[in-house]
Amino acid sequence: MEEIVVNLHMHTRYSDGSGSHRDIALAAMRSGLDAVVITDHNVLVRGMAGYFNEGPRRVLVLIGEEVHDQARDPQKNHLLVLGLDQEVAGLGHDPARLIRDVAAGGGLSFIAHLTDPAAPAFNEGDLSWVDWSVDDFTGIELWNGLSELKTVIPSKLNGILYAFFPALVAHGPPPETLQKWDQLTSRRAVVAIGGSDAHALRLRLGPLRRVVYPYDFHFRTINTHVLIPEPLTGDSAADRRTICDALARGHCFVGYDLPQSTRGFRFSAHAHETETLMGGEVTARGGVTLQVQLPAFAELRLIRDGRVIHIERRAQALTYRAGTLPGVYRVEAHRPYFGQKRGWIFSNPIYVR
């Protein structure tokens, strides 16, 4: 399998970001990304998808959409839509129908910033997802970089601090989101992705001027690492299909690449002389062995049905014999950074039936 690094969920001047598609592509190439998915609010920007090149470097720019009900105040129920060529913002008022139509069109849908608290000091409302009558969405945005910032800025002074020292912010997905994800995966496969929600916001407080979370910074932090069967071909349409197919299958993990690159992480199940990747399903009959490989030493946690069943304080690999015990198994890895323990890797589950 080939591993590519994708940054999902970002905005340009077509909605509320400060940069252009080219600005994003250049920042992505500087950051070593393989692909980005631009998701402006309620608009599908045409004519911008494809490969951008600079010297020997290239990056694939994919265009999606972040859809929500524009008439609702406060805003709720933001949905990331990938893999479609038609505009679907008109269905933002009806999330259930929106999700059904996206699936019928061959696209993917991910609930965005499932937990997104208010930040009153900056007049930012609570944008959390609230409509749980929906089903059949592809997955959820497990970790959103910009939403996490809102949890640490109770005052404008805090906002100034983190605007100048953004590396102090990230600790991991909200516990409520992890808990909800575990509940959802107990019923069916639900894919987790990581999103930067990059806007490159321009902060102005009196004489202070600062770009909060420049694209370059975001692209070195929370990424979605995707496992694909073969290297990207350079054909943008074919490569989009390959990436979307891998995301739909959950062949990916969320990596916080700022403390150290998460490239090289693997989580697999072995049974009946076959190997099953993250997102896959395997029968427990005859016994299952789980294998984990980390790119560096970290605290490693194996989780079954939402509960930690094995923990290694400092490990780079794990072989765990699950036997015939069914469950939804996933992996977390944590590392110290700036004196605090940070979430580093969050795998998609393997479903042992």
Side-chain angles (χ1 to χ4, degrees):
M1 300 296 288
E2 296 288 327
E3 179 180 348
I4 61 171
V5 184
V6 181
N7 195 276
L8 295 143
H9 190 172
M10 65 200 69
H11 303 275
T12 72
R13 296 168 189 156
Y14 280 87
S15 56
D16 56 352
S18 68
S20 67
H21 289 75
R22 179 170 176 77
D23 292 335
I24 286 175
L26 292 173
M29 284 187 281
R30 289 193 296 268
S31 303
L33 297 180
D34 297 292
V36 293
V37 184
I38 299 174
T39 50
D40 277 307
H41 292 284
N42 298 300
V43 59
L44 184 70
V45 181
R46 303 181 187 277
M48 296 296 185
Y51 275 99
F52 283 67
N53 298 274
E54 185 181 57
R57 297 179 296 182
R58 72 178 185 185
V59 66
L60 176 60
V61 174
L62 301 177
I63 305 299
E65 189 175 7
E66 182 177 4
V67 179
H68 69 276
D69 184 357
Q70 300 176 70
R72 178 167 181 160
D73 186 19
Q75 294 180 15
K76 300 287 184 182
N77 302 328
H78 288 230
L79 191 76
L80 299 177
V81 176
L82 285 61
L84 288 186
D85 293 319
Q86 67 264 25
E87 176 69 64
V88 290
L91 296 175
H93 65 285
D94 188 346
R97 183 183 169 192
L98 171 62
I99 290 167
R100 288 196 303 269
D101 281 18
V102 169
L108 310 180
S109 59
F110 295 89
I111 291 176
H113 40 73
L114 188 151
T115 305
D116 191 331
F122 291 86
N123 298 315
E124 288 286 336
D126 185 311
L127 306 181
S128 304
W129 185 275
V130 294
D131 185 353
W132 290 111
S133 67
V134 301
D135 202 358
D136 297 330
F137 47 89
T138 309
I140 66 168
E141 186 180 45
L142 187 72
W143 194 354
N144 178 297
L146 193 61
S147 293
E148 188 174 11
L149 174 63
K150 293 170 67 176
T151 68
V152 295
I153 51 172
S155 70
K156 290 185 176 177
L157 185 60
N158 295 103
I160 294 171
L161 170 66
Y162 291 115
F164 282 88
F165 301 101
L168 299 176
V169 174
H171 286 79
E176 308 95 305
T177 300
L178 284 166
Q179 183 180 33
K180 185 64 178 180
W181 183 39
D182 287 327
Q183 292 172 357
L184 292 168
T185 56
S186 69
R187 297 187 290 108
R188 67 172 181 88
V190 176
V191 179
I193 59 172
S196 64
D197 208 352
H199 289 70
L201 299 170
R202 301 187 185 279
L203 176 68
R204 296 180 181 181
L205 287 175
L208 294 177
R209 300 289 187 274
R210 184 76 172 179
V211 175
V212 180
Y213 278 6
Y215 294 118
D216 299 66
F217 175 79
H218 258 313
F219 295 166
R220 292 183 287 112
T221 57
I222 302 166
N223 291 304
T224 300
H225 291 240
V226 184
L227 302 181
I228 58 177
E230 302 290 342
L232 295 174
T233 65
D235 180 324
S236 59
D239 290 342
R240 184 182 83 162
R241 289 193 295 270
T242 296
I243 292 172
C244 286
D245 181 66
L247 288 172
R249 295 172 183 268
H251 295 340
C252 55
F253 65 90
V254 179
Y256 178 45
D257 290 309
L258 191 61
Q260 181 163 334
S261 172
T262 61
R263 190 186 288 270
F265 168 76
R266 296 292 184 270
F267 174 42
S268 58
H270 300 260
H272 321 296
E273 299 182 350
T274 62
E275 179 182 14
T276 301
L277 301 178
M278 289 173 285
E281 182 176 310
V282 62
T283 177
R285 187 180 302 113
V288 176
T289 298
L290 303 173
Q291 292 188 346
V292 181
Q293 184 68 45
L294 298 175
F297 285 98
E299 180 182 288
L300 190 157
R301 303 175 186 176
L302 180 63
I303 296 165
R304 173 182 172 270
D305 296 340
R307 295 185 177 183
V308 177
I309 59 169
H310 186 85
I311 187 166
E312 298 273 352
R313 298 299 177 186
R314 190 174 186 271
Q316 197 168 355
L318 173 68
T319 298
Y320 184 88
R321 290 172 177 81
T324 58
L325 187 64
V328 181
Y329 293 83
R330 63 180 181 85
V331 172
E332 293 181 8
H334 299 254
R335 283 178 61 87
Y337 187 57
F338 278 103
Q340 296 187 15
K341 186 185 294 185
R342 315 280 177 149
W344 187 41
I345 293 170
F346 296 83
S347 80
N348 265 285
I350 293 174
Y351 301 85
V352 179
R353 306 301 190 190

